[in-house]
Amino acid sequence: MAGGTYDFIVLGGGHNGLVSSIYLARAGFKVALLEANDEFGGGTRSAEFHPGYTADLGAIVHFNIAKSPVFAKDELDLFSKYGMEYCRMDSVFCSIFEDDSYLTVSQDIDKFCNDIAKYSEKDAEAYKKFYKYIGEMAGVVAMGTGGGVPPYGVMINALSKSAAGMEFLRVLNSSAQQIVEEWFESEQLRVTLTRWATEMMIDPRMPGTSTILLLSTAIHNPAFPGALFPKGGSNEGFIKPLIRAAEDAGVDLFTNQFVDDIFVAGGEVKGCRTKAGDEFRCNNAIVSTICVKDVFDYLGEDAPEEDSHYVKLLRHADFVALNQVFALDVEPEFKAGPGVKNTFCIEFAPNEKDYLRTFSDYKLGGFKPNLPLITIPSIADKSRAPEGHAVLNLYSYAPWDLRGDSKNWQDPEQAEACKEAVWEFFKSRCTNLTDANIQGTWSKTPYEYSQWNPAFRKGDIGHIGLQQSQMYDFRPIPGKGHEFHGDIENLYFVGTCGHPGGSVSYSARGGIAKILDDYGIDIRDVVTKN
Ligand SMILES: Cc1cc2nc3c(=O)[nH]c(=O)nc-3n(C[C@H](O)[C@H](O)[C@H](O)COP(=O)(O)OP(=O)(O)OC[C@H]3O[C@@H](n4cnc5c(N)ncnc54)[C@H](O)[C@@H]3O)c2cc1C
């Protein structure tokens, strides 16, 4: 039997759970980390899915990680001591259009503008101004993505004092589509920019999706490290170093501990029980990095009423993920030409009308195969596949309720038809692929992802959606995001369900800084490099 009494119990062993446990243990606390699966990593796991071929099974590119001090300052020694290692490519994303022309978002802004000019000279000029305009708001955006977040009233008050702040609020309340329509005439540029914004898994016509437009212009900063992905796959380059650091810090790490009951007495969380029947008690607090909706299910009748009301209202993403991985005996050659392979995320993009219609289709349960995001990590990471061969990721958006019902994903015929359609689409846009090139495959439908990682409730790879109404001080409970807890003070929500939300970015760090502060500790005192 496992179990025991700890100062802190961290729920969930994804990268956010691991990093949270390291900070807490380094601060001198006795920490248990409980993971439901038989391995750590959550949405950032990899596998040798076919002999000699290694692929990431969830997260593909660590786009938002570079700003975190865990990366930028190596403040937990993950690079210098524990073997964390990345591969990189200069360009993060490009779009291939229906006529197989393409637009790469280059780090060098002049080069990017020259490429934009092929579609519209006016837009090439406008983009330079857009970049400057975004730069003026950069400091304000950073407030939303870094560590903590102020109470909503304070944030609005501070923003309303400057013209840049007011403009930021206007942009924040706009959609990505609105902003690109304000600035640009060419649909190729508009689709390229909003396509990246859809990585929030929200319809680009929804308010708040503009935020990613602001963040993505960071690509042109000379200090931007490019597209980063773990060397040898997420397990090797990313998760194992985190596990080593956690072990070294003295964290008690538990796998196969699916928490399904959280108990409360006198308004305080006292501990949790797992399906295995083990009981873990806490002196200080539970720190959750799992789906907040699940946490409230586990609280049952102990859940505070007002918080419960808001947690029930939390929405999931507008669409979810259907992912396929292929072991190929050749490297794909694109009809668009070899130049697209200098970019890590290669995104197919239909014309703007069809593209936008796709997002309406998802809402109605429709699936379209013509919008996949392609990565071939073996181009930059030779350890992923045998010489001359390739590992290919075909990542597609999909509705959770396929044709109106999520159960349709459990029908092998319907699931296979969707997967096959994406592969056929991809093959048709390449010059050298036939089915005979496939050596092995791995795939997950949205339903399978919800089983693979229980935090991906309803297939939501962000646990809960990134709608504007669920960001900043609203995440996950309105007016309490800045505290990282609801009405139960010793039950914290950090990482994906806390501010600033999902993605591989060590987003839990801001919440952990607040928790340590609540216990009288400055996070800077528990790291080796300031
Ligand atoms: C196909 C796909 C592609 C993606 N691509 C990208 C990308 O390119 N870039 C990017 O930044 N992000 C991407 N993501 C999203 C990324 O995986 C998540 O943002 C990231 O994994 C969040 O990390 P986390 O530690 O907060 O949570 P998770 O990784 O979700 O970890 C949560 C952990 O909690 C465990 N858990 C859940 N419930 C319980 C319970 N009751 N008891 C105990 N343990 C529990 C889970 O098993 C899991 O290990 C992608 C996801 C998928 C599926």
Side-chain angles (χ1 to χ4, degrees):
M1 289 286 276
T5 301
Y6 290 85
D7 296 326
F8 287 95
I9 301 169
V10 178
L11 307 186
H15 83 288
N16 271 318
L18 284 161
V19 86
S20 299
S21 70
I22 299 169
Y23 282 113
L24 293 169
R26 285 203 183 180
F29 294 110
K30 190 176 175 208
V31 182
L33 174 67
L34 308 184
E35 166 54 45
N37 273 317
D38 57 6
E39 58 178 346
F40 294 104
T44 51
R45 278 177 277 166
S46 58
E48 190 180 25
F49 67 102
H50 185 73
Y53 299 80
T54 299
D56 291 314
L57 309 177
I60 296 164
V61 61
H62 295 190
F63 179 72
N64 294 321
I65 210 159
K67 287 186 296 291
S68 168
V70 184
F71 179 96
K73 293 185 176 173
D74 192 24
E75 69 175 14
L76 295 177
D77 315 306
L78 297 171
F79 291 92
S80 51
K81 192 168 170 195
Y82 297 107
M84 190 161 285
E85 211 176 337
Y86 276 99
C87 293
R88 62 176 295 281
M89 284 175 84
D90 285 344
S91 306
V92 180
F93 63 100
C94 70
S95 294
I96 303 182
F97 308 111
E98 284 172 317
D99 62 358
D100 281 315
S101 69
Y102 66 93
L103 181 59
T104 300
V105 183
S106 313
Q107 184 158 21
D108 179 339
I109 187 162
D110 291 329
K111 179 165 182 348
F112 183 40
C113 289
N114 283 341
D115 290 340
I116 295 171
K118 289 179 207 152
Y119 298 100
S120 160
E121 289 194 5
K122 199 168 151 225
D123 283 357
E125 281 310 306
Y127 191 83
K128 284 183 191 147
K129 292 190 188 123
F130 180 68
Y131 183 55
K132 188 166 171 285
Y133 156 83
I134 293 297
E136 280 161 12
M137 280 187 275
V140 191
V141 182
M143 177 184 74
T145 56
V149 62
Y152 196 63
V154 173
M155 174 172 138
I156 299 296
N157 191 30
L159 288 171
S160 64
K161 287 192 174 128
S162 72
M166 279 308 287
E167 179 57 7
F168 173 71
L169 280 178
R170 189 188 71 84
V171 172
L172 201 65
N173 287 299
S174 307
S175 70
Q177 186 63 26
Q178 253 174 287
I179 299 299
V180 295
E181 283 176 10
E182 282 172 12
W183 280 86
F184 308 115
E185 64 177 14
S186 112
E187 59 173 73
Q188 286 87 350
L189 177 59
R190 294 203 303 228
V191 167
T192 299
L193 297 179
T194 61
R195 176 78 175 78
W196 189 248
T198 62
E199 297 303 331
M200 286 173 91
M201 314 302 276
I202 305 283
D203 184 323
R205 293 163 295 187
M206 294 299 288
T209 45
S210 50
T211 315
I212 301 281
L213 289 184
L214 307 186
L215 294 176
S216 59
T217 49
I219 284 177
H220 305 304
N221 184 329
F224 184 74
L228 296 170
F229 52 104
K231 183 158 189 213
S234 297
N235 283 12
E236 286 307 313
F238 185 61
I239 290 301
K240 280 187 187 168
L242 280 165
I243 294 172
R244 282 181 213 122
E247 283 169 347
D248 238 19
V251 179
D252 279 353
L253 296 158
F254 297 92
T255 51
N256 298 308
Q257 291 289 1
F258 194 125
V259 174
D260 64 354
D261 182 20
I262 296 175
F263 43 90
V264 176
E268 279 186 8
V269 158
K270 297 291 178 195
C272 60
R273 278 184 209 91
T274 68
K275 277 188 185 170
D278 295 321
E279 193 169 296
F280 292 83
R281 302 192 77 84
C282 60
N283 296 323
N284 291 347
I286 284 188
V287 178
S288 170
T289 70
I290 67 176
C291 180
V292 61
K293 283 179 178 275
D294 289 334
V295 171
F296 273 69
D297 286 349
Y298 307 150
L299 282 168
E301 291 188 350
D302 288 328
E305 205 178 316
E306 189 184 80
D307 291 358
S308 241
H309 165 73
Y310 282 117
V311 168
K312 276 199 192 92
L313 293 180
L314 285 169
R315 297 185 56 191
H316 284 293
D318 284 349
F319 41 89
V320 292
L322 168 70
N323 194 20
Q324 302 183 72
V325 177
F326 294 81
L328 299 176
D329 63 5
V330 286
E331 201 169 89
E333 298 300 340
F334 290 76
K335 285 184 178 163
V340 286
K341 289 203 283 182
N342 297 327
T343 297
F344 189 58
C345 298
I346 303 164
E347 305 188 300
F348 283 96
N351 66 73
E352 194 176 47
K353 269 204 184 73
D354 282 351
Y355 159 76
L356 291 174
R357 203 172 286 129
T358 309
F359 298 101
S360 304
D361 286 344
Y362 295 144
K363 285 211 171 90
L364 301 171
F367 176 74
K368 288 263 180 66
N370 58 350
L371 212 64
L373 181 152
I374 315 298
T375 56
I376 311 173
S378 49
I379 292 176
D381 183 355
K382 300 296 176 199
S383 72
R384 301 274 189 123
E387 179 71 33
H389 292 215
V391 165
L392 166 77
N393 256 81
L394 289 188
Y395 169 80
S396 294
Y397 299 150
W400 170 245
D401 286 317
L402 179 65
R403 291 181 198 95
D405 191 343
S406 63
K407 286 201 184 72
N408 285 327
W409 285 117
Q410 295 177 58
D411 169 10
E413 219 171 279
Q414 295 193 54
E416 277 313 309
C418 293
K419 287 191 252 173
E420 187 63 23
V422 183
W423 167 246
E424 288 300 324
F425 172 82
F426 178 67
K427 243 181 2 180
S428 76
R429 305 298 292 272
C430 290
T431 59
N432 67 335
L433 288 185
T434 69
D435 292 354
N437 296 118
I438 303 175
Q439 308 298 297
T441 59
W442 181 96
S443 65
K444 284 266 178 273
T445 64
Y447 172 75
E448 288 166 335
Y449 267 125
S450 72
Q451 305 296 299
W452 184 70
N453 178 348
F456 289 169
R457 189 164 160 147
K458 294 198 170 188
D460 190 338
I461 67 171
H463 304 187
I464 53 172
L466 291 167
Q467 287 84 356
Q468 189 54 25
S469 56
Q470 300 180 182
M471 296 296 282
Y472 300 98
D473 201 19
F474 288 83
R475 193 171 183 88
I477 299 166
K480 298 169 186 167
H482 67 283
E483 298 280 11
F484 293 93
H485 63 71
D487 283 345
I488 298 181
E489 289 187 9
N490 68 335
L491 174 58
Y492 290 97
F493 305 100
V494 303
T496 296
C497 283
H499 170 78
S503 89
V504 185
S505 55
Y506 301 120
S507 57
R509 187 189 180 279
I512 293 295
K514 175 71 173 71
I515 296 171
L516 290 174
D517 189 53
D518 288 349
Y519 286 84
I521 299 166
D522 186 327
I523 195 166
R524 287 168 299 186
D525 294 336
V526 306
V527 300
T528 51
K529 303 174 190 80
N530 281 312

Short mmCIF file of all heavy atoms in Angstrom, two decimals, residues 480-528:
data_model
loop_
_atom_site.label_atom_id
_atom_site.label_comp_id
_atom_site.label_asym_id
_atom_site.label_seq_id
_atom_site.Cartn_x
_atom_site.Cartn_y
_atom_site.Cartn_z
N LYS A 480 -11.20 34.85 -8.98
CA LYS A 480 -10.31 34.15 -8.04
C LYS A 480 -9.05 33.62 -8.71
O LYS A 480 -8.22 32.99 -8.05
CB LYS A 480 -11.08 33.01 -7.36
CG LYS A 480 -12.27 33.53 -6.55
CD LYS A 480 -13.19 32.43 -6.07
CE LYS A 480 -14.42 33.04 -5.40
NZ LYS A 480 -15.49 32.07 -5.18
N GLY A 481 -8.91 33.90 -10.00
CA GLY A 481 -7.73 33.41 -10.72
C GLY A 481 -6.44 33.92 -10.11
O GLY A 481 -5.43 33.20 -10.08
N HIS A 482 -6.47 35.15 -9.60
CA HIS A 482 -5.23 35.73 -9.05
C HIS A 482 -4.81 35.03 -7.75
O HIS A 482 -3.66 35.13 -7.34
CB HIS A 482 -5.37 37.24 -8.84
CG HIS A 482 -6.36 37.61 -7.78
ND1 HIS A 482 -7.72 37.58 -7.97
CD2 HIS A 482 -6.18 38.03 -6.50
CE1 HIS A 482 -8.33 37.96 -6.86
NE2 HIS A 482 -7.42 38.24 -5.95
N GLU A 483 -5.76 34.34 -7.10
CA GLU A 483 -5.43 33.61 -5.86
C GLU A 483 -4.98 32.18 -6.14
O GLU A 483 -4.44 31.51 -5.27
CB GLU A 483 -6.68 33.52 -4.95
CG GLU A 483 -7.23 34.85 -4.49
CD GLU A 483 -6.44 35.42 -3.32
OE1 GLU A 483 -5.36 34.89 -3.01
OE2 GLU A 483 -6.93 36.40 -2.73
N PHE A 484 -5.28 31.68 -7.33
CA PHE A 484 -5.01 30.29 -7.73
C PHE A 484 -5.79 29.29 -6.87
O PHE A 484 -5.42 28.12 -6.77
CB PHE A 484 -3.50 29.97 -7.74
CG PHE A 484 -2.77 30.73 -8.81
CD1 PHE A 484 -2.18 31.96 -8.52
CD2 PHE A 484 -2.68 30.24 -10.11
CE1 PHE A 484 -1.52 32.68 -9.51
CE2 PHE A 484 -2.02 30.96 -11.09
CZ PHE A 484 -1.43 32.18 -10.80
N HIS A 485 -6.83 29.77 -6.18
CA HIS A 485 -7.73 28.84 -5.48
C HIS A 485 -9.12 29.46 -5.45
O HIS A 485 -9.30 30.66 -5.72
CB HIS A 485 -7.22 28.53 -4.07
CG HIS A 485 -7.15 29.71 -3.14
ND1 HIS A 485 -8.26 30.34 -2.63
CD2 HIS A 485 -6.08 30.38 -2.64
CE1 HIS A 485 -7.88 31.34 -1.85
NE2 HIS A 485 -6.57 31.41 -1.85
N GLY A 486 -10.11 28.62 -5.12
CA GLY A 486 -11.47 29.12 -4.97
C GLY A 486 -11.77 29.34 -3.50
O GLY A 486 -10.89 29.77 -2.74
N ASP A 487 -13.00 29.01 -3.08
CA ASP A 487 -13.38 29.27 -1.69
C ASP A 487 -12.71 28.34 -0.69
O ASP A 487 -12.69 28.62 0.50
CB ASP A 487 -14.91 29.20 -1.56
CG ASP A 487 -15.55 30.47 -2.11
OD1 ASP A 487 -14.81 31.47 -2.30
OD2 ASP A 487 -16.77 30.48 -2.37
N ILE A 488 -12.19 27.21 -1.17
CA ILE A 488 -11.37 26.37 -0.28
C ILE A 488 -9.92 26.83 -0.46
O ILE A 488 -9.35 26.66 -1.54
CB ILE A 488 -11.50 24.87 -0.61
CG1 ILE A 488 -12.95 24.41 -0.41
CG2 ILE A 488 -10.55 24.05 0.25
CD1 ILE A 488 -13.19 22.94 -0.69
N GLU A 489 -9.36 27.41 0.59
CA GLU A 489 -8.07 28.09 0.42
C GLU A 489 -6.90 27.16 0.21
O GLU A 489 -5.88 27.55 -0.35
CB GLU A 489 -7.81 29.01 1.62
CG GLU A 489 -8.74 30.21 1.61
CD GLU A 489 -8.41 31.22 2.68
OE1 GLU A 489 -7.35 31.07 3.32
OE2 GLU A 489 -9.22 32.14 2.87
N ASN A 490 -7.01 25.93 0.70
CA ASN A 490 -5.84 25.04 0.54
C ASN A 490 -6.06 23.99 -0.57
O ASN A 490 -5.57 22.89 -0.49
CB ASN A 490 -5.45 24.38 1.87
CG ASN A 490 -6.50 23.39 2.34
OD1 ASN A 490 -7.66 23.50 1.99
ND2 ASN A 490 -6.06 22.42 3.12
N LEU A 491 -6.78 24.41 -1.60
CA LEU A 491 -6.94 23.59 -2.80
C LEU A 491 -6.62 24.49 -4.00
O LEU A 491 -7.44 25.32 -4.41
CB LEU A 491 -8.37 23.04 -2.89
CG LEU A 491 -8.72 22.29 -4.17
CD1 LEU A 491 -7.78 21.10 -4.40
CD2 LEU A 491 -10.17 21.80 -4.13
N TYR A 492 -5.39 24.34 -4.51
CA TYR A 492 -4.92 25.26 -5.55
C TYR A 492 -5.08 24.65 -6.94
O TYR A 492 -4.96 23.44 -7.12
CB TYR A 492 -3.43 25.55 -5.34
CG TYR A 492 -3.12 26.40 -4.12
CD1 TYR A 492 -2.74 25.80 -2.92
CD2 TYR A 492 -3.17 27.78 -4.17
CE1 TYR A 492 -2.43 26.57 -1.80
CE2 TYR A 492 -2.85 28.57 -3.06
CZ TYR A 492 -2.48 27.95 -1.88
OH TYR A 492 -2.16 28.72 -0.78
N PHE A 493 -5.31 25.53 -7.93
CA PHE A 493 -5.37 25.12 -9.33
C PHE A 493 -4.26 25.84 -10.08
O PHE A 493 -4.31 27.06 -10.25
CB PHE A 493 -6.73 25.48 -9.94
CG PHE A 493 -7.87 24.92 -9.14
CD1 PHE A 493 -8.58 25.71 -8.25
CD2 PHE A 493 -8.19 23.57 -9.27
CE1 PHE A 493 -9.59 25.17 -7.48
CE2 PHE A 493 -9.21 23.03 -8.50
CZ PHE A 493 -9.91 23.83 -7.61
N VAL A 494 -3.25 25.11 -10.50
CA VAL A 494 -2.14 25.74 -11.21
C VAL A 494 -1.96 25.03 -12.56
O VAL A 494 -2.46 23.93 -12.76
CB VAL A 494 -0.81 25.69 -10.41
CG1 VAL A 494 -0.98 26.35 -9.05
CG2 VAL A 494 -0.32 24.25 -10.24
N GLY A 495 -1.22 25.68 -13.44
CA GLY A 495 -0.94 25.05 -14.74
C GLY A 495 -2.09 25.27 -15.70
O GLY A 495 -2.64 26.37 -15.82
N THR A 496 -2.52 24.18 -16.34
CA THR A 496 -3.45 24.30 -17.46
C THR A 496 -4.82 24.86 -17.05
O THR A 496 -5.40 25.64 -17.80
CB THR A 496 -3.56 22.91 -18.13
OG1 THR A 496 -2.26 22.61 -18.66
CG2 THR A 496 -4.55 22.90 -19.26
N CYS A 497 -5.33 24.49 -15.89
CA CYS A 497 -6.63 25.03 -15.47
C CYS A 497 -6.51 26.32 -14.65
O CYS A 497 -7.51 26.88 -14.22
CB CYS A 497 -7.43 23.99 -14.67
SG CYS A 497 -8.15 22.75 -15.74
N GLY A 498 -5.29 26.76 -14.40
CA GLY A 498 -5.10 28.05 -13.72
C GLY A 498 -4.63 29.08 -14.74
O GLY A 498 -4.46 28.77 -15.93
N HIS A 499 -4.37 30.27 -14.27
CA HIS A 499 -3.80 31.29 -15.15
C HIS A 499 -2.35 30.92 -15.45
O HIS A 499 -1.64 30.48 -14.54
CB HIS A 499 -3.85 32.65 -14.45
CG HIS A 499 -3.08 33.69 -15.19
ND1 HIS A 499 -3.58 34.30 -16.30
CD2 HIS A 499 -1.82 34.17 -15.01
CE1 HIS A 499 -2.66 35.14 -16.77
NE2 HIS A 499 -1.59 35.10 -16.00
N PRO A 500 -1.79 31.02 -16.66
CA PRO A 500 -2.43 31.56 -17.86
C PRO A 500 -3.00 30.50 -18.78
O PRO A 500 -3.33 30.81 -19.93
CB PRO A 500 -1.25 32.27 -18.55
CG PRO A 500 -0.06 31.43 -18.21
CD PRO A 500 -0.34 30.84 -16.85
N GLY A 501 -3.12 29.25 -18.31
CA GLY A 501 -3.76 28.23 -19.14
C GLY A 501 -2.79 27.24 -19.73
O GLY A 501 -1.67 27.08 -19.23
N GLY A 502 -3.23 26.59 -20.80
CA GLY A 502 -2.54 25.40 -21.30
C GLY A 502 -1.30 25.66 -22.11
O GLY A 502 -0.74 26.75 -22.09
N SER A 503 -0.87 24.61 -22.78
CA SER A 503 0.32 24.51 -23.61
C SER A 503 1.53 24.10 -22.78
O SER A 503 1.51 24.19 -21.54
CB SER A 503 0.63 25.79 -24.42
OG SER A 503 1.44 26.68 -23.70
N VAL A 504 2.58 23.66 -23.47
CA VAL A 504 3.79 23.24 -22.78
C VAL A 504 4.60 24.50 -22.51
O VAL A 504 5.26 25.02 -23.40
CB VAL A 504 4.58 22.22 -23.62
CG1 VAL A 504 5.78 21.71 -22.83
CG2 VAL A 504 3.70 21.07 -24.03
N SER A 505 4.49 25.01 -21.31
CA SER A 505 5.07 26.33 -21.03
C SER A 505 5.44 26.49 -19.56
O SER A 505 5.76 27.59 -19.14
CB SER A 505 4.06 27.41 -21.41
OG SER A 505 2.84 27.18 -20.72
N TYR A 506 5.39 25.41 -18.77
CA TYR A 506 5.59 25.51 -17.33
C TYR A 506 4.66 26.57 -16.74
O TYR A 506 5.06 27.37 -15.90
CB TYR A 506 7.04 25.88 -16.99
CG TYR A 506 8.10 24.93 -17.49
CD1 TYR A 506 9.09 25.34 -18.36
CD2 TYR A 506 8.12 23.60 -17.06
CE1 TYR A 506 10.08 24.48 -18.81
CE2 TYR A 506 9.11 22.73 -17.50
CZ TYR A 506 10.08 23.18 -18.38
OH TYR A 506 11.05 22.32 -18.80
N SER A 507 3.42 26.58 -17.23
CA SER A 507 2.50 27.63 -16.79
C SER A 507 2.22 27.55 -15.29
O SER A 507 1.74 28.52 -14.69
CB SER A 507 1.19 27.56 -17.59
OG SER A 507 0.60 26.28 -17.46
N ALA A 508 2.51 26.40 -14.66
CA ALA A 508 2.26 26.26 -13.22
C ALA A 508 3.18 27.16 -12.39
O ALA A 508 2.89 27.42 -11.22
CB ALA A 508 2.46 24.81 -12.78
N ARG A 509 4.27 27.62 -12.98
CA ARG A 509 5.25 28.36 -12.17
C ARG A 509 4.63 29.57 -11.48
O ARG A 509 4.93 29.87 -10.32
CB ARG A 509 6.43 28.80 -13.03
CG ARG A 509 7.55 29.41 -12.21
CD ARG A 509 8.62 30.03 -13.09
NE ARG A 509 9.69 30.61 -12.30
CZ ARG A 509 9.65 31.81 -11.74
NH1 ARG A 509 8.57 32.57 -11.86
NH2 ARG A 509 10.68 32.27 -11.03
N GLY A 510 3.77 30.32 -12.18
CA GLY A 510 3.13 31.50 -11.60
C GLY A 510 2.31 31.12 -10.37
O GLY A 510 2.36 31.79 -9.34
N GLY A 511 1.55 30.04 -10.49
CA GLY A 511 0.72 29.58 -9.37
C GLY A 511 1.57 29.11 -8.21
O GLY A 511 1.27 29.37 -7.04
N ILE A 512 2.66 28.43 -8.53
CA ILE A 512 3.55 27.93 -7.46
C ILE A 512 4.19 29.11 -6.73
O ILE A 512 4.33 29.09 -5.50
CB ILE A 512 4.61 26.97 -8.05
CG1 ILE A 512 3.94 25.69 -8.55
CG2 ILE A 512 5.70 26.65 -7.03
CD1 ILE A 512 3.28 24.84 -7.47
N ALA A 513 4.56 30.15 -7.48
CA ALA A 513 5.14 31.35 -6.83
C ALA A 513 4.15 31.92 -5.83
O ALA A 513 4.51 32.32 -4.72
CB ALA A 513 5.51 32.39 -7.88
N LYS A 514 2.87 31.92 -6.21
CA LYS A 514 1.83 32.45 -5.30
C LYS A 514 1.68 31.54 -4.07
O LYS A 514 1.57 32.02 -2.94
CB LYS A 514 0.51 32.56 -6.07
CG LYS A 514 -0.69 32.98 -5.23
CD LYS A 514 -0.59 34.45 -4.80
CE LYS A 514 -1.83 34.96 -4.12
NZ LYS A 514 -2.05 34.42 -2.78
N ILE A 515 1.69 30.23 -4.31
CA ILE A 515 1.54 29.29 -3.17
C ILE A 515 2.70 29.48 -2.19
O ILE A 515 2.51 29.59 -0.97
CB ILE A 515 1.50 27.83 -3.67
CG1 ILE A 515 0.25 27.60 -4.54
CG2 ILE A 515 1.52 26.84 -2.50
CD1 ILE A 515 0.21 26.27 -5.26
N LEU A 516 3.92 29.52 -2.74
CA LEU A 516 5.08 29.70 -1.86
C LEU A 516 4.96 31.00 -1.09
O LEU A 516 5.23 31.07 0.11
CB LEU A 516 6.38 29.65 -2.68
CG LEU A 516 6.75 28.28 -3.25
CD1 LEU A 516 7.97 28.38 -4.17
CD2 LEU A 516 7.03 27.27 -2.12
N ASP A 517 4.49 32.02 -1.78
CA ASP A 517 4.30 33.32 -1.14
C ASP A 517 3.28 33.21 0.01
O ASP A 517 3.48 33.78 1.09
CB ASP A 517 3.83 34.33 -2.21
CG ASP A 517 3.80 35.74 -1.68
OD1 ASP A 517 4.84 36.17 -1.16
OD2 ASP A 517 2.73 36.38 -1.75
N ASP A 518 2.22 32.44 -0.23
CA ASP A 518 1.21 32.22 0.83
C ASP A 518 1.85 31.57 2.06
O ASP A 518 1.33 31.68 3.18
CB ASP A 518 0.07 31.33 0.32
CG ASP A 518 -0.84 32.07 -0.66
OD1 ASP A 518 -0.71 33.30 -0.80
OD2 ASP A 518 -1.67 31.40 -1.31
N TYR A 519 2.95 30.84 1.84
CA TYR A 519 3.64 30.19 2.96
C TYR A 519 4.92 30.95 3.35
O TYR A 519 5.82 30.41 3.99
CB TYR A 519 3.95 28.71 2.62
CG TYR A 519 2.67 27.89 2.68
CD1 TYR A 519 1.82 27.83 1.58
CD2 TYR A 519 2.29 27.23 3.85
CE1 TYR A 519 0.62 27.13 1.64
CE2 TYR A 519 1.10 26.53 3.91
CZ TYR A 519 0.26 26.48 2.80
OH TYR A 519 -0.93 25.80 2.88
N GLY A 520 4.98 32.21 2.92
CA GLY A 520 6.07 33.09 3.35
C GLY A 520 7.40 32.85 2.66
O GLY A 520 8.45 33.22 3.19
N ILE A 521 7.36 32.24 1.48
CA ILE A 521 8.62 31.92 0.78
C ILE A 521 8.64 32.63 -0.58
O ILE A 521 7.65 32.60 -1.32
CB ILE A 521 8.75 30.39 0.56
CG1 ILE A 521 8.78 29.68 1.92
CG2 ILE A 521 9.99 30.04 -0.26
CD1 ILE A 521 8.56 28.19 1.84
N ASP A 522 9.77 33.23 -0.89
CA ASP A 522 9.95 33.87 -2.20
C ASP A 522 10.52 32.82 -3.16
O ASP A 522 11.55 32.21 -2.85
CB ASP A 522 10.94 35.04 -2.06
CG ASP A 522 11.08 35.85 -3.34
OD1 ASP A 522 10.97 35.26 -4.43
OD2 ASP A 522 11.29 37.07 -3.23
N ILE A 523 9.85 32.62 -4.29
CA ILE A 523 10.29 31.56 -5.22
C ILE A 523 11.75 31.74 -5.64
O ILE A 523 12.45 30.77 -5.90
CB ILE A 523 9.35 31.47 -6.45
CG1 ILE A 523 9.59 30.15 -7.21
CG2 ILE A 523 9.51 32.66 -7.39
CD1 ILE A 523 8.54 29.78 -8.22
N ARG A 524 12.20 32.99 -5.65
CA ARG A 524 13.60 33.22 -6.07
C ARG A 524 14.59 32.61 -5.08
O ARG A 524 15.74 32.35 -5.42
CB ARG A 524 13.86 34.72 -6.23
CG ARG A 524 13.19 35.29 -7.49
CD ARG A 524 13.21 36.77 -7.49
NE ARG A 524 12.49 37.30 -6.34
CZ ARG A 524 12.24 38.59 -6.14
NH1 ARG A 524 12.67 39.49 -6.99
NH2 ARG A 524 11.56 39.00 -5.08
N ASP A 525 14.13 32.38 -3.85
CA ASP A 525 15.03 31.78 -2.85
C ASP A 525 15.14 30.27 -3.00
O ASP A 525 15.96 29.64 -2.33
CB ASP A 525 14.55 32.12 -1.43
CG ASP A 525 14.67 33.60 -1.16
OD1 ASP A 525 15.50 34.25 -1.83
OD2 ASP A 525 13.92 34.11 -0.31
N VAL A 526 14.29 29.66 -3.82
CA VAL A 526 14.35 28.19 -3.91
C VAL A 526 14.96 27.75 -5.24
O VAL A 526 15.05 26.55 -5.51
CB VAL A 526 12.97 27.52 -3.73
CG1 VAL A 526 12.31 27.97 -2.44
CG2 VAL A 526 12.04 27.75 -4.90
N VAL A 527 15.38 28.70 -6.08
CA VAL A 527 16.01 28.31 -7.33
C VAL A 527 17.50 28.61 -7.26
O VAL A 527 17.93 29.44 -6.45
CB VAL A 527 15.36 29.03 -8.56
CG1 VAL A 527 13.89 28.68 -8.63
CG2 VAL A 527 15.57 30.52 -8.49
N THR A 528 18.26 27.92 -8.12
CA THR A 528 19.70 28.09 -8.02
C THR A 528 20.21 29.30 -8.79
O THR A 528 21.29 29.78 -8.55
CB THR A 528 20.43 26.84 -8.55
OG1 THR A 528 19.90 26.53 -9.83
CG2 THR A 528 20.27 25.68 -7.61
#
